[in-house]
Amino acid sequence: MTMQDGETLGGLVLDGMSDGSGVWVYVDDVGKRFFDAEQAVEIIAVRKVGRPDI
């Protein structure tokens, strides 16, 4: 993902809000964070990871 300041971070998208208001992402070396549309981050999926049944 690319932050507003241009910093690029790796991570894993964990979940998206059902109303489309944002996504939960596990950011490498940072932890779980919520990003919404106002934060204007760019998320690009590079590979699909299986999700365990929960």
Side-chain angles (χ1 to χ4, degrees), residues 1-2 6 8-10 15 17-18 22-23 28-31 38-42 44-45 47-48 50-51 54:
M1 58 190 292
T2 304
T8 300
L9 303 169
D15 204 359
M17 301 299 289
S18 61
V23 294
D28 295 344
D29 299 323
V30 176
E38 292 177 9
Q39 291 169 298
V41 298
E42 179 180 358
I44 299 171
R47 66 186 154 105
K48 182 178 179 180
R51 180 177 175 165
I54 52 174

Side-chain angles (χ1 to χ4, degrees), residues 2-15:
T2 304
M3 307 298 285
Q4 283 181 325
D5 63 3
E7 180 182 13
T8 300
L9 303 169
L12 176 67
V13 175
L14 301 174
D15 204 359

